[in-house]
Amino acid sequence: MQKLSLLLCCVILTLSILAQDGDWVPENDQIRAQRAAYITQRLKLNSTEAAHFWQVFNEYEEEKASLKKSFRTERSRPTTEAEAEQLILRRLELDEAMLQLKRQFYIDAKTKVPARKLMLLPQAETEFKRDLLRQIRDRRQQSGRSNGG
């Protein structure tokens, strides 16, 4: 029953997206909903696992965005050797902080989601991004053809 409702959700989202006119680029909320459905299905999460996973994952994503923002610098192209070295060191600090955050996410998530399912997450995210880009590209090509292109 859960698989059917998840599939129905994906179909409804897809149909609503296809019904849009013009150049198609989905809204952030649409992308998040599609991503949640895709990853939930790909990881084969039951309702308890999904509830826990998405709570922990959303917190992880917020903290990741906050970390990136806090490490953002004004100058991305240094003019001196000292500035370049500082940027490299800051990048290494960010990488270390991101790795620690990712470790904590997996520790928190595996309290209710089996590690064998969590192991599929990076691949599921990559597949989702690839599918989303393909949908955008296909939609733009279709739009170009219907507009005389």
Side-chain angles (χ1 to χ4, degrees):
M1 184 66 183
Q2 181 185 6
K3 288 181 183 179
L4 180 62
S5 60
L6 185 60
L7 181 61
L8 184 60
C9 179
C10 288
V11 169
I12 290 171
L13 281 171
T14 303
L15 289 176
S16 68
I17 289 168
L18 292 176
Q20 295 178 359
D21 291 328
D23 229 10
W24 175 72
V25 177
E27 299 290 324
N28 280 338
D29 290 340
Q30 278 183 318
I31 293 172
R32 276 192 218 106
Q34 283 183 325
R35 181 180 185 202
Y38 188 93
I39 290 174
T40 300
Q41 179 189 25
R42 184 72 173 78
L43 272 54
K44 298 179 181 161
L45 300 174
N46 64 36
S47 57
T48 304
E49 292 170 342
H52 178 72
F53 173 83
W54 287 108
Q55 177 190 357
V56 172
F57 187 82
N58 290 334
E59 289 171 6
Y60 164 70
E61 288 286 301
E62 287 174 18
E63 290 177 32
K64 189 165 79 169
S66 176
L67 256 180
K68 284 181 180 180
K69 187 177 181 179
S70 71
F71 276 88
R72 203 168 284 145
T73 59
E74 294 292 320
R75 183 175 294 216
S76 60
R77 294 181 185 215
T79 56
T80 67
E81 193 65 22
E83 286 177 355
E85 187 166 336
Q86 281 296 81
L87 283 175
I88 291 170
L89 293 175
R90 291 210 20 96
R91 179 57 196 214
L92 291 172
E93 288 175 24
L94 174 62
D95 290 347
E96 288 172 2
M98 294 293 266
L99 181 58
Q100 183 57 38
L101 183 62
K102 191 176 214 176
R103 276 193 179 115
Q104 192 58 52
F105 161 72
Y106 279 103
I107 289 168
D108 294 345
K110 76 177 186 175
T111 60
K112 298 218 171 114
V113 180
R116 69 183 186 282
K117 290 183 179 183
L118 292 174
M119 205 173 91
L120 300 172
L121 179 60
Q123 182 181 358
E125 287 186 303
T126 300
E127 290 170 358
F128 173 76
K129 289 175 188 173
R130 189 177 302 128
D131 285 351
L132 182 63
L133 290 172
R134 181 190 47 75
Q135 287 176 15
I136 292 170
R137 184 180 56 248
D138 291 350
R139 182 68 179 182
R140 284 185 175 163
Q141 287 175 350
Q142 289 174 357
S143 176
R145 278 189 226 125
S146 66
N147 292 333

